[in-house]
Amino acid sequence: MGTNGSTMLAPLRQGLPPLDPAHVRYAASCALPPRYEAVRSARAFTRRTLAEWKNDERFDDIALVVSELVTNALRHALPADTPRPDDPPVRLHLTACERRLVCAVRDPSAGTPAARPPGDCDAESGRGLFLVDSFSDAWGWHPLAGQLDGKVVWALFEV
């Protein structure tokens, strides 16, 4: 779980904000099943990981953003057919650098994440990216290239 080094970042490098691999202190990743219970699992993984890294000062903000990113991946990015159990469709990656923490969620869809217009926040759903934008210091997304299909949606936190 809490490995040090950049090998875990290699398949995602094109999908993350600029990070100097020499400054990566910790990296951890977990596969998430295509069920909404995965949101709870992602929060628990985030709590354990940040506690292990002694980097939980912004846990509430980070956990909210992780929940939104995973929910969006499960709701909008999964194919209609059931994915193979040996090939988890969604992965959560946490990376800690000197004063930054990046949460990245990889999913199999090439679709562009789209936030609802600012005046449409009264809707029951669709506020996820608005919350990500509000609680993180930066966020973005990139399509994956090479052997990997899909995209990575990431959020950066100054810690």
Side-chain angles (χ1 to χ4, degrees):
M1 179 170 78
T3 61
N4 187 339
S6 63
T7 52
M8 191 174 280
L9 290 177
L12 292 178
R13 190 160 319 279
Q14 70 276 7
L16 292 174
L19 295 174
D20 181 351
H23 293 110
V24 172
R25 292 176 48 213
Y26 302 104
S29 174
C30 72
L32 298 168
R35 298 184 303 272
Y36 286 111
E37 297 85 32
V39 175
R40 185 176 332 133
S41 298
R43 287 176 67 92
F45 172 79
T46 301
R47 179 179 295 283
R48 284 190 314 272
T49 301
L50 296 182
E52 179 182 312
W53 295 350
K54 297 179 182 14
N55 193 359
D56 56 0
E57 65 207 43
R58 288 190 67 186
F59 173 74
D60 292 335
D61 293 348
I62 294 166
L64 174 69
V65 167
V66 163
S67 296
E68 293 300 331
L69 293 178
V70 171
T71 298
N72 284 348
L74 295 172
R75 183 174 289 155
H76 303 294
L78 292 183
D81 57 339
T82 305
R84 298 186 325 257
D86 61 336
D87 186 19
V90 175
R91 289 195 70 86
L92 168 62
H93 301 266
L94 301 173
T95 306
C97 293
E98 291 174 344
R99 290 180 299 277
R100 293 178 169 181
L101 181 94
V102 176
C103 306
V105 175
R106 185 181 85 195
D107 68 54
S109 170
T112 302
R116 290 200 183 231
D120 196 14
C121 288
D122 292 333
E124 184 63 27
S125 67
R127 296 181 299 245
L129 291 177
F130 175 77
L131 292 172
V132 170
D133 186 55
S134 297
F135 285 87
S136 66
D137 294 305
W139 76 277
W141 75 279
H142 296 280
L144 294 172
Q147 301 271 336
L148 298 173
D149 292 327
K151 68 177 172 299
V152 170
V153 182
W154 55 265
L156 180 135
F157 297 86
E158 298 291 338
V159 290

